[in-house]
Structure formats: structure tokens, C-alpha cells
Amino acid sequence: MDNDILLPARSVPVDGAVLNPFVIVDDAAGLITFVSEVFGVRETAEARTPMPDGKLIHAELRLGTVNLMVADRLDGWPARPGLLQVWVRDVAAVLERATTRGATTVTEPTAFYGETTLGRILDPWRNIWWLWAPAPGQPDPTPSWEGGSDVVFSTLDEVLRSLAPDRRPGL
């Protein structure tokens, strides 16, 4: 759908998306390897821009129609990990791939509304990934306020609270 503000998707250069996330982390090259291995995607080699000291000021990975842009945190810069959503074929398989590469499961595969399954991981760079998969025919869960599970909210709440600056070990 076009609107008067956003550039129409068909007009975005190089088949780009209208919105592309950018994260700043320590060890951007490590995150690139993680994302490549977990999601089976490749880094866009021509986008890699190293600084003289080897840190990456820019790199990209293409996930579907979106570029995930990544850079190393420089001295004085805060880390800016992301909250990222990805549609996958099999949430459990991606959770397994991610945890064998150092991620922590935040939310096990859980039935969600609209015939979908949701799972979440926290990667070693403090990015939280929402993993979604279609689940045709799967009934919607009972809302927590009607006696159903609150796992979708409680697991996210727990991990976000654990990442708050005043909750980090040693502070």
C-alpha cells in the first residue's frame, strides 16, 4: 500500500525495504557469522566497510527483503542491540540452531494468535529475536486474563528486566 510519506517499495533502490534495522554491537563480525549460520543468509560482501583498525563501520546481511545493518561499537558509543522479528519456516529448528551458537532461549515455541507460532532468543550481543512461523489450523491461545498462559509476556518481561543497566552483574 502506498502512502504520501513513505517511498513505495517498488521505488526503493536495490530492491530494498522501506525500513531496515541497524544494530551497533561489540564484535560485529561475530554477529554477522551468527546471523549467517542461524538464518542461512550471506553477508552482502560489497557493503562491508572496515575502518583502519579493522572495526566495521558498516556491514549488511539480507534477510528476505530487508537489510540488517551492523556496525562495531566505537569508543564512546553505546551498544544499540535490536529487537528484531523474523519469519521462519520452523521456530524450534531455528531456536536449536541459535542456541548451539551461543544464544539463549527466551520463549519456547508457543502458539500465538492468527495461526502462528512464536519463539524468542537472546543472542550473545543482547539482540532479542522474535521468531514467527505460520501454523495453519492452530487455534488461538486462551488469553492470560481468561486463565491462559502468560508465557508470551512473562518471558519477554523477564529478559528485558535482566538487560536493564542496573541489573547487569557487577554493577
Side-chain angles (χ1 to χ4, degrees), residues 4-19:
D4 292 335
I5 298 171
L6 297 176
L7 188 64
R10 67 186 172 280
S11 300
V12 176
V14 196
D15 297 324
V18 174
L19 175 67

Side-chain angles (χ1 to χ4, degrees), residues 47-126:
R48 183 176 272 241
T49 310
M51 308 235 333
D53 66 0
K55 288 189 176 187
L56 294 175
I57 195 66
H58 186 88
E60 295 178 7
L61 298 110
R62 186 86 168 166
L63 288 89
T65 59
V66 173
N67 291 318
L68 172 60
M69 297 178 287
V70 179
D72 276 304
R73 184 179 67 82
L74 301 181
D75 289 339
W77 288 13
R80 287 288 181 228
L83 304 175
L84 307 161
Q85 294 189 60
V86 180
W87 283 89
V88 299
R89 295 178 188 273
D90 183 336
V91 170
V94 175
L95 283 171
E96 183 177 336
R97 290 172 67 93
T99 57
T100 62
R101 290 163 174 85
T104 303
T105 298
V106 172
T107 308
E108 293 287 343
T110 304
F112 199 72
Y113 301 96
E115 298 182 350
T116 60
T117 297
L118 165 69
R120 292 189 194 100
I121 59 170
L122 173 67
D123 72 26
W125 296 266
R126 300 170 51 124

Side-chain angles (χ1 to χ4, degrees), residues 14-32:
V14 196
D15 297 324
V18 174
L19 175 67
N20 293 285
F22 201 127
V23 297
I24 299 172
V25 298
D26 291 319
D27 185 23
L31 176 59
I32 291 165

